[in-house]
Each structure stands twice: as C-alpha cells, then as structure tokens.
Amino acid sequence: MSLNPEPSQPEERAERNLAPKSYAAAAEEALENEPNADPEPQSHDGQVDGAVDNAKEALVNKVQDPEHASKPNGTKTIRIVPTEEYEGEGQDDSPKSPSRNSHRRRGSLKSIGSVGRKHGEQLQHDVFEKHKDGDGEASTSVKPASDFELDGRTDKPPKRRNSELRSGRQAGEGWHKSKIRFAPLNVPLQRRLQTLAVLMHTLSIAGLVSIFFFLCAIPILWPVLLPYLIYVLFSKAGESGELSFRSERWRRSKVWSLFASYFPARLHRSQELEPTRKYIFGYHPHGIISHGAFVAFATEALGFSQLFPGITNTLLTLDGNFKLPLYREYALRMGLASVSRESCENILSKGGRNGEGMGRAITIVIGGARESLESRPGTLRLVLRRRLGFVKLAIRQGADLVPVLNFGENEIYEQLDPHAHPYINKFQLLVKKLMGWTVPLFHARGIFNYDVGMMPYRRSMNVVVGRPIKVVQQQHPDKAYVEDVHEKYVDELLRIWNDHKDQFAQERTEELTIIE
C-alpha cells in the first residue's frame, strides 16, 4: 500500500472535499492499518531501510531532542538513534520478507535505505525540517551521517599514511655537480706564485694605465705627469732600434720562471744558428695574447740565450703600445719594440757584432690580429698565404727566415666560433679594419676557479724553432724570388708540424691549415 494514497496537493484535495492531511498523519494511519507488518523490515533487495522507518516513527511521536535548538532559518534538527539491530543482505540463508516500502524506487549511494550495515551497527542521521508544504505543515528530509557520505564518494582524498617519514631537500645538495670547479685552499705556494706572475702580465696594460689615471687625480702630481705624457707621445724609443732601455736583469728575473712553469712552457730548437747572421723569427700561431711568444722571446725563462748564444732577439708588438704611459716603460725594459717597418729596419741594421746588425734577431707574430679570431683548442689555422711583407723585409736586410711553431698556443683559451656566428665575425673584422686590432670573445679560467675567467688554462706549450732559410740580400727583390722564399718557409713550417704533432699535439681535432 501507499503511505499517502490520497492527493497531496491542496487543490486536488479541495476538489474531492478532503480535509488537509500531513505526511506524518499519513504515516501514522499507514502503521495502524498494518498490524501484521514485519517488525524487522528489509528492502526487497536485501538492504536495510530501517533508518527511514526510525525517522517516520520519530515524526509520528513528535519527539524532539532538547539538545538541538532551532536554527536561524526556522528548521529543526532531530537526532534519531535506533534501538533495533539491523542486518544486511547476505548475512544468513533465511528468506527475506519484502519491505513495506518496496514500492519506492531504489535510491543512490547517498540515499538512506540503499546501504546495509553489519549486525549491531547503529546508524545516526539528522532529520531536517526545511520547508513547509501548501497546508502549512513542515516537510522533512533526512541527512545521513558525514562518514556515510564519504563512503560513497569517488573523489575523496587518499588516506594519509602517518607512519611514513618524509624529509625535505638536503642543504648543499647539488654543489658537487656544479660546472664551476673551485680551487682548493691547500694549493702549494709555488702554484699560487705562478698564477700571480701570469696575472701580473695579463693585466699589465690595463693595470698600469689605470694607475696612471689614478695618479692624474692628484693635482700635486700634475707638474710631473703632464711633461711625462708629452714625452711618451713623442718618444721614438720603441722604433729607434737602439734597445737602450732593455734590461737583462729584468728579463732574467725569477718572476718569468714562475710565468713559464705555470703552463708549463718549453723551448726547442731544430738547428743551431750562427751568431754572425741576422734572423727574422716568424712565430705561429698568434693565439689570443701570444703568451708563448712573450715567454720564449721576451724573457730568458726558457733559456733562449743558451740555445742560441750570441744572438740578441727582440719581440715586436703594436706601435700603439708604446704610446701608453707606464706600460711603455714595462715593454721597453723587456726589450720589446714596435712592429713597424722603420723599427724592424733599425734593429736589423744597428748594433750587433759589426754595428750593422750582425747577431741580432727580431720575432714577428705573422698571423697578427686576424689570426687570433681563428684561435680555438684542437685547431691550428694560420693566416700566412698572403703574408709576404716579412719575406721582403728579410731579403732587403739579408736576414735568414726561421719558422717557429708553438704547439699549445691555441689551447690556453676558449673562444666563440666566429664561423658559427657570422654577424659577430663581420663586426670583429670591421673593428680590425678600422682600429688595427680585434676583439675576440674568449674565456678560460679564473684565479680561484678552473672554468670562468680571463686567466689562461694550465696547458703545456712547446715552442719549436725550425731550421733557417737562407736568403740572398736584394734591395729590390723581384716577385718570383719572394714567392720562392715564402714557399720554402711554408714547407719548413709544415715539416715542423708533421715531425712533432704526434708528440706535442696529441689532442688535435684537425691538421694544420693555411686559410689565407
């Protein structure tokens, strides 16, 4: 039977002349009309529907829990605790009687009568009176317990395992994987002194010029600094060929021995040179700063005078370096001179054993600033094919040509590949054309680390001096003879490479190449 077979809407009941009847009254009448009802009702699918029956019984008896106060919206909450024990389907083999509410549709997982409970388990529900129907009676809804709602949810949060111990990140983790390797504190003193010597020479230009400008900030020194600056700008000491400022004591200083042992660097000769001849040493490659040329031919750290006794050698550099205050004094004490044509002719024609340059030599870095852009580890690319000026100079002065190849000059710095960045390469060539020097984008190691900085890497350099190519002096050499001497010079340079590359260039990535 139905709990409320009569019309529930007020309009329908008015048409049939029926008195208003509430849901609670209909439930009470239904219970009175069923004396043989099963005292322990179960749903037709074996699931307990006792919570709804308890709610109905509570509504019939009008029992309200005194602990529940009226809520602001006028609803009342009644806590119902059933005293009977319920048993779900499948607990025994006894046949199940149909529920008195079998006419109702099966509810969802959140409905009250759709889930069974174990024997002895009690259900607690909140009965809410939320709305009033058309007759003014309160309508009732039943809300299941909060834990019951969680059991039917599919998006409920996972259970937390409190027994599992979890930790945060470890302090200092990852430092041992850093790409920057820092030098340890227990580095021997000798290695620290070696680094200091290389740092002093590397920063010589910038450091000395900065000191000069610092002194210019002191007005009391202006009477001394101004005449000195005028003297530097007009001095010809760098190209006079007299070598009057050259200091053998400074060239033989132990500072340069520390400088050479930093890499370390060694000087090798292929043949003895006669002290009664003039010589032009052609140094290759240029590298970034030409550290090998400086330590081999501007100092006595590698024993140049022992390998080539009786020969006074002068390393040539840019003429502009002798216009820099304070650095000019440093370069002249080291015996450096300008690479200009006038300077070369003066050195090879003055002094020496006979006063005409016999026993003198100059060292020219042939590739120049253009070749520095090709300086990268594992390679040896030379700008030599169109360099004929030093050959003509040798023929006019009657000086023998001596090729010099440094295995390791390109290894001590890393540089951005100009061929992979054509726009940067064009800018560098433009600076070379306008200013006479280039701006290579290079890096190496630092003072206290091994990966970032401007200090050269500690990689060995072996400077090999080849066999001299004798020339016949001519004041106006013809082109064919110049090309013939140049070809012999290149052949001797290739011989040095082929004879010593397996010993001194074991980590090369390509063979010697003449690109221009």
Side-chain angles (χ1 to χ4, degrees), residues 264-331:
R266 295 286 303 273
L267 180 64
H268 311 270
R269 75 178 183 190
S270 299
Q271 181 179 326
E272 293 185 6
L273 301 180
E274 300 177 4
T276 56
R277 302 278 300 178
K278 305 176 184 179
Y279 299 97
I280 297 179
F281 292 89
Y283 182 86
H284 307 271
H286 183 281
I288 300 296
I289 306 181
S290 300
H291 284 301
F294 176 81
V295 70
F297 301 106
T299 73
E300 289 294 332
L302 303 185
F304 179 88
S305 61
Q306 296 177 359
L307 293 176
F308 306 102
I311 297 177
T312 301
N313 183 54
T314 301
L315 177 64
L316 305 183
T317 184
L318 295 177
D319 184 63
N321 291 334
F322 296 92
K323 304 301 180 181
L324 301 176
L326 296 186
Y327 179 77
R328 165 188 177 275
E329 316 304 325
Y330 171 80

Side-chain angles (χ1 to χ4, degrees), residues 109-122:
L109 291 176
K110 293 185 179 181
S111 63
I112 303 302
S114 61
V115 179
R117 286 293 183 268
K118 294 182 180 180
H119 184 74
E121 185 178 0
Q122 294 182 347

Side-chain angles (χ1 to χ4, degrees), residues 11 49 55 150 259 288 313 368:
E11 295 80 2
D49 204 18
L150 283 176
F259 182 97
I288 300 296
N313 183 54

Side-chain angles (χ1 to χ4, degrees), residues 118-364:
K118 294 182 180 180
H119 184 74
E121 185 178 0
Q122 294 182 347
L123 295 175
Q124 293 186 357
H125 302 277
D126 292 335
V127 179
F128 295 90
E129 295 178 359
K130 296 183 178 180
H131 307 284
K132 293 183 179 181
D133 55 19
D135 298 334
E137 297 292 337
S139 60
T140 305
S141 63
V142 181
K143 180 180 180 182
S146 59
D147 58 345
F148 175 78
E149 288 187 336
L150 283 176
D151 290 338
R153 292 178 58 183
T154 59
D155 59 338
K156 58 185 178 181
K159 295 182 179 180
R160 299 179 62 182
R161 293 181 291 180
N162 296 328
S163 60
E164 182 181 355
L165 183 64
R166 302 186 63 182
S167 305
R169 69 181 301 272
Q170 181 180 354
E173 183 180 4
W175 279 94
H176 63 283
K177 299 180 181 179
S178 175
K179 293 185 178 180
I180 301 179
R181 299 167 296 168
F182 289 92
L185 297 177
N186 57 348
V187 174
L189 177 61
Q190 184 178 3
R191 293 178 66 87
R192 291 297 188 192
L193 295 177
Q194 293 170 358
T195 304
L196 181 61
V198 176
L199 178 65
M200 180 195 69
H201 174 67
T202 303
L203 300 178
S204 57
I205 295 180
L208 292 174
V209 174
S210 299
I211 292 175
F212 175 79
F213 283 109
F214 175 77
L215 296 176
C216 290
I218 306 175
I220 196 174
L221 299 179
W222 289 357
V224 178
L225 296 178
L226 183 60
Y228 170 73
L229 184 59
I230 296 175
Y231 166 75
V232 168
L233 294 177
F234 292 96
S235 174
K236 298 293 185 180
E239 57 187 26
S240 64
E242 298 177 357
L243 306 180
S244 57
F245 293 92
R246 183 187 181 106
S247 173
E248 291 297 327
R249 180 180 179 181
W250 181 233
R251 286 169 55 90
R252 297 177 183 273
S253 172
K254 292 184 179 180
V255 173
W256 309 122
S257 179
L258 291 171
F259 182 97
S261 58
Y262 171 89
F263 300 99
R266 295 286 303 273
L267 180 64
H268 311 270
R269 75 178 183 190
S270 299
Q271 181 179 326
E272 293 185 6
L273 301 180
E274 300 177 4
T276 56
R277 302 278 300 178
K278 305 176 184 179
Y279 299 97
I280 297 179
F281 292 89
Y283 182 86
H284 307 271
H286 183 281
I288 300 296
I289 306 181
S290 300
H291 284 301
F294 176 81
V295 70
F297 301 106
T299 73
E300 289 294 332
L302 303 185
F304 179 88
S305 61
Q306 296 177 359
L307 293 176
F308 306 102
I311 297 177
T312 301
N313 183 54
T314 301
L315 177 64
L316 305 183
T317 184
L318 295 177
D319 184 63
N321 291 334
F322 296 92
K323 304 301 180 181
L324 301 176
L326 296 186
Y327 179 77
R328 165 188 177 275
E329 316 304 325
Y330 171 80
L332 291 176
R333 296 302 184 276
M334 298 301 301
L336 273 65
S338 172
V339 75
S340 64
R341 176 179 176 179
E342 181 181 359
S343 174
C344 295
E345 292 177 349
N346 289 334
I347 294 174
L348 294 177
S349 61
K350 298 179 180 180
R353 293 178 176 268
N354 58 356
E356 296 180 357
M358 289 299 177
R360 281 194 171 187
I362 58 175
T363 301
I364 305 175

